[in-house]
Amino acid sequence: MRDPKRAGSGAEEPPPHLRLQSHQPYHRPISGLDHDSLGAIYANIRHWRAALKAINRDIAEAQEQGFQDLAEGNNIKGWILVGKGLRFLPGIQLIEGKSKEDIRWDELQRGDGMWSNIAFWVAVCVIGMLLGIGLLAAAGLALATSPDVVHYLPFLSPVVAHNNIPSGLATALAPAVAASLFIGLAMLGIHKAASQSGAASVTVVRIKAFKAVFWVIVIVAGIWIVVAGSLLFGAHALDVQSRETPSIANGTIATAVLLLFITLNLAIIVPGLLLLQPVRLWKIYKRKKRAVTPRQQFRAIYPKMYNPIYGMGCCILGIVFAAAFALLFPFIGPAVLLLVLLTLVAHRFLIGYVYGKTDSGQTGGLLQLWILRRFATLLSLQPILLGLIVLSRRKWVLGGIMIGIAIGIIGVVEWYCANKLKKPGPDSLSPVTRDAIESYVRSARPAGRFGGSSENGAASSTNRKGKSRRGKNGSISSVLDMMSITLAVMPGSNRRRPPVPLPTEHLDDLTATEKAARTHPDAPPRLPPLAFVDHAEEMSGILYPPELTAPSPVIWLLNDSAGIARSEAYDLQHYHHLTTVIDVRAPADVMTPRNSDDHRGDQRKY
């Protein structure tokens, strides 16, 4: 209908398509999904919410059953003891890192440490043999230009037939690169095999791997390559049985050229690889590309513990070469100095800016003391080599003096280090302490009470005896500890952390999700502190298996500008009792503080 006022005034009304609208029309956003697809997505969300709550209930029941078995003494394979003088107890495996993160719980459950250790050293021997074969081939190629070597290695004649640049590269650069590659693959293989060595401590695994790398480098890459090159150089003399020892001694000096090229090659390539980290860059790129959830992104970019086995292994190789040939071949000294200096720069950069965290505690310099002791022993290589060369010239007195000096160096170093690092034995304890240790060992011995006695046919008397022995020898401290932790009682403000286990910089996204959510790259440098004690701090002094003390999983949502993640987090916490956090990119993104009492109370509801 027309407006009578406008009709009376005679004003012409514009057509509908030319009229101005006071508000723009509303358009529904196109999401690309129809109603059926959206319904399926919400059905999946409801399904996985219920599934997560059911999984939490199952975890809580399994933990409760584990606590009961622990209190009754069922299926126990050992104890974790904290205190001084524990090395006097028989069957003790020391946790050298003295931290919770240093414990390898899977190895403690398997308990096959001796056989795993034997398998590890067998693998080290096999790797050393393969490395020796590779270095023998590299030494043969490097000595192809020496007299009469091609006669016994005729397949190398095309390499030395032409006196040009390609032949020089083939006999100088190619053997050094091949030897460096073989040594790097050997260190990688030893590092991989050390993880299966059966040690109960992460620090012990790293120390064992480093010691294995040291001996392989000294024996195979340091001594064997010189011996192999000397024998190849003196092959003609050994064949005609004329002047064997002088020819082999001359081959020792000729092999020093190969060692010089290996050192220069390592001095240029290894520090560059350590600084650029191409393997780590490629792994992070693949992980970030596959990451979908914030937890996966955190695990993709969070730094790990620095492994100095490659950098220090190359330095050890250079020091072995310098200790043996510094006087015979002085040109190797500056090359070793350049290798050690550049590796030190790369090492300092990595531990300060790339791998700036420790997750396995502290060892008190055990590895450093051991490496200093071995470096002092390596000082005997120079007089040994000089003595052998002098003896090959039939100068018996001078050669004997040099060999005696080398033996004296080894004896003095080993005696001094053993005297300074000697630990007192059980005889240093008082009779009362020794009697207490023997009593503890007798009471802690299983004596058949950890087996499956309930499955035996005559189970009544056996079960009664087992229960009485558990009541007599069972430890009530575990029950009291777990009661103090599981009860809804907040720890006091004056509660002191025990000296052991040592605190580390380890951040587990499963037990400290709130802290992990604050590590977003866009987060501001200063954020309000947590108003509650997270689970990782509460359990810092409790040395129980992680599966027994693990909290209910915390859901970690991706933050967004529209507030959808915050709304979802509120629904999960308010209606489903599922703890949720979101990525912290601003101080306003910090979730509402919660108490540890509420968290444990929600956990018991499942």
Side-chain angles (χ1 to χ4, degrees):
M1 297 179 63
R2 293 185 177 181
D3 190 355
K5 295 182 180 180
R6 291 190 176 183
S9 61
E12 185 177 358
E13 185 177 1
H17 66 281
L18 296 179
R19 296 175 185 174
L20 296 176
Q21 299 181 2
S22 58
H23 301 283
Q24 293 293 330
Y26 174 75
H27 297 280
R28 183 177 180 273
I30 300 176
S31 61
L33 298 175
D34 54 5
H35 294 284
D36 295 337
S37 300
L38 290 175
I41 292 175
Y42 282 108
N44 288 334
I45 292 176
R46 290 191 295 269
H47 167 73
W48 288 113
R49 283 175 179 172
L52 183 58
K53 296 174 69 174
I55 292 173
N56 291 344
R57 280 196 304 270
D58 295 340
I59 292 175
E61 293 176 359
Q63 289 178 343
E64 184 178 359
Q65 182 64 34
F67 295 152
Q68 293 179 0
D69 294 340
L70 186 65
E72 296 176 359
N74 297 328
N75 301 323
I76 295 179
K77 295 184 178 181
W79 295 268
I80 296 180
L81 306 177
V82 178
K84 296 181 179 180
L86 296 177
R87 58 187 179 87
F88 296 109
L89 298 178
I92 286 291
Q93 296 187 30
L94 296 179
I95 307 299
E96 298 292 351
K98 299 178 179 61
S99 65
K100 291 183 62 176
E101 291 76 16
D102 192 62
I103 303 174
R104 302 181 68 194
W105 299 99
D106 52 346
E107 294 294 339
L108 291 179
Q109 294 295 331
R110 285 198 293 264
D112 54 350
M114 184 183 66
W115 295 108
S116 299
N117 192 28
I118 294 175
F120 166 70
W121 288 110
V122 170
V124 170
C125 294
V126 173
I127 292 173
M129 294 176 59
L130 296 177
L131 177 61
I133 295 173
L135 293 181
L136 176 62
L141 182 59
L143 297 174
T145 57
S146 300
D148 300 326
V149 173
V150 180
H151 176 73
Y152 297 96
L153 301 176
F155 55 89
L156 296 178
S157 56
V159 179
V160 298
H162 305 284
N163 189 13
N164 50 16
I165 295 179
S167 298
L169 294 177
T171 57
L173 183 61
V177 174
S180 303
L181 182 62
F182 294 152
I183 294 173
L185 292 177
M187 289 191 291
L188 178 62
I190 293 174
H191 175 65
K192 296 295 184 182
S195 60
Q196 306 297 327
S197 60
S201 172
V202 177
T203 303
V204 172
V205 171
R206 293 172 179 171
I207 293 177
K208 190 179 297 185
F210 186 84
K211 290 182 178 180
V213 167
F214 178 87
W215 290 118
V216 168
I217 287 178
V218 171
I219 296 175
V220 181
I223 299 176
W224 165 249
I225 191 172
V226 177
V227 173
S230 303
L231 294 176
L232 290 175
F233 188 87
H236 178 69
L238 293 174
D239 188 17
V240 300
Q241 297 182 357
S242 174
R243 296 178 57 83
E244 297 92 341
T245 54
S247 180
I248 293 176
N250 294 334
T252 302
I253 302 175
T255 311
V257 180
L258 172 62
L259 306 184
L260 174 62
F261 281 105
I262 292 176
T263 306
L264 290 175
N265 185 38
L266 294 176
I268 296 173
I269 295 178
V270 172
L273 292 178
L274 290 177
L275 290 174
L276 296 177
Q277 295 284 309
V279 178
R280 179 176 178 270
L281 178 63
W282 176 247
K283 289 182 179 180
I284 290 179
Y285 173 76
K286 292 195 299 183
R287 291 171 184 170
K288 291 182 65 176
K289 191 174 181 180
R290 293 195 301 262
V292 178
T293 64
R295 198 181 301 272
Q296 293 175 344
Q297 295 177 1
F298 169 81
R299 295 178 179 179
I301 64 177
Y302 192 68
K304 296 182 179 180
M305 183 68 180
Y306 174 57
N307 184 16
I309 188 173
Y310 301 103
M312 293 189 68
C314 296
C315 292
I316 292 171
L317 183 63
I319 291 174
V320 170
F321 292 163
F325 291 93
L327 296 179
L328 292 175
F329 194 71
F331 292 103
I332 204 171
V336 172
L337 180 61
L338 180 64
L339 170 62
V340 174
L341 179 62
L342 295 180
T343 306
L344 177 62
V345 173
H347 175 77
R348 182 64 186 88
F349 174 78
L350 291 177
I351 63 176
Y353 298 97
V354 181
Y355 298 95
K357 81 183 191 76
T358 57
D359 59 356
S360 297
Q362 304 172 7
T363 61
L366 291 178
L367 184 59
Q368 288 74 14
L369 292 174
W370 186 86
I371 194 65
L372 285 177
R373 183 177 183 178
R374 298 282 76 86
F375 281 163
T377 307
L378 291 180
L379 296 177
S380 62
L381 291 178
Q382 185 72 71
I384 287 177
L385 186 58
L386 283 176
L388 293 176
I389 294 176
V390 171
L391 288 176
S392 67
R393 266 63 177 179
R394 299 182 182 275
K395 296 182 179 181
W396 310 111
V397 177
L398 184 58
I401 292 174
M402 291 184 178
I403 297 295
I405 291 175
I407 296 175
I409 290 175
I410 296 176
V412 170
V413 168
E414 294 299 326
W415 172 81
Y416 180 79
C417 294
N419 188 25
K420 292 296 183 180
L421 300 178
K422 183 180 179 181
K423 296 181 179 180
D427 296 336
S428 61
L429 301 176
S430 62
V432 178
T433 305
R434 290 198 298 267
D435 183 68
I437 292 176
E438 293 177 359
S439 300
Y440 173 79
V441 171
R442 288 194 301 268
S443 62
R445 186 174 292 112
R449 65 188 179 96
F450 295 144
S453 59
S454 60
E455 298 177 0
N456 197 350
S460 57
S461 61
T462 306
N463 286 341
R464 286 195 298 269
K465 183 183 295 184
K467 291 181 180 179
S468 62
R469 290 180 63 89
R470 279 195 292 268
K472 180 180 180 181
N473 297 333
S475 176
I476 198 66
S477 61
S478 61
V479 182
L480 297 178
D481 289 343
M482 295 312 303
M483 288 177 60
S484 64
I485 292 299
T486 54
L487 288 177
V489 178
M490 280 293 294
S493 58
N494 57 353
R495 180 180 179 181
R496 295 182 179 180
R497 183 188 178 97
V500 177
L502 297 176
T504 61
E505 298 174 354
H506 180 75
L507 182 59
D508 189 1
D509 59 280
L510 296 177
T511 58
T513 313
E514 292 85 355
K515 289 183 178 179
R518 296 166 174 246
T519 61
H520 194 276
D522 297 335
R526 297 183 180 275
L527 290 171
L530 293 175
F532 55 90
V533 180
D534 60 358
H535 180 80
E537 293 182 359
E538 286 183 342
M539 296 295 173
S540 59
I542 304 299
L543 294 177
Y544 284 90
E547 61 269 14
L548 290 181
T549 60
S552 299
V554 178
I555 303 175
W556 189 353
L557 299 178
L558 183 65
N559 201 350
D560 62 302
S561 58
I564 299 177
R566 186 176 294 274
S567 176
E568 180 68 18
Y570 176 80
D571 293 342
L572 290 174
Q573 292 183 0
H574 187 71
Y575 297 105
H576 303 281
H577 304 288
L578 296 175
T579 308
T580 311
V581 297
I582 60 175
D583 280 335
V584 178
R585 302 183 184 180
D589 296 332
V590 178
M591 299 296 291
T592 303
R594 61 176 176 82
N595 294 326
S596 300
D597 300 344
D598 300 336
H599 179 62
R600 285 195 294 264
D602 294 340
Q603 183 178 357
R604 288 195 299 272
K605 291 178 182 179
Y606 300 144

